[in-house]
Amino acid sequence: LDPLDLKLQAAELLLSSADLQTLRGLQVYLGNVLQSPDKVGFRTIQLANPLFQERIWSAPGGASVLRAAGFSEGPRRTLRLPLDAPLEPLRAAKAIVDKMIAANFH
């Protein structure tokens, strides 16, 4: 297994106890970048955002999924996905989130 697969497997394991709000939030963040990959605003997440902190960043698996997708902590308390970052990890992370929603909440 390559490092990305290991990161995604770890994130999936952690996400297994996440609630629907966390999964839907991740679905939106990841989906926005995939739909508009050149939009810098979708590639930057404010860590100071209280809703993001509560629903995603501090939830089981939330930070792991975003890191596996390629986001890393940047300046001024942000998470950033560089414009030249490959989209495949993002697609793989979103596929995991989509699968978990379909399996657990339908």
Side-chain angles (χ1 to χ4, degrees), residues 33-92:
V33 177
L34 289 170
Q35 286 178 344
S36 303
D38 298 330
K39 195 164 184 181
V40 176
F42 287 150
R43 290 172 171 265
T44 304
I45 300 170
Q46 301 300 321
L47 286 170
N49 177 329
L51 279 178
F52 174 78
Q53 275 291 331
E54 177 189 334
R55 293 183 182 168
I56 296 175
W57 196 242
S58 62
S64 297
V65 167
L66 290 170
R67 285 191 178 113
F71 282 90
S72 59
E73 292 181 47
R76 296 185 302 284
R77 298 202 57 220
T78 58
L79 273 184
R80 293 179 185 241
L81 180 70
L83 278 171
D84 60 354
L87 293 179
E88 191 47 46
L90 225 79
R91 281 190 201 95

Side-chain angles (χ1 to χ4, degrees), residues 3 21 26 61 68 85 90 98:
Q21 222 174 24
L26 286 165
L90 225 79
D98 292 345

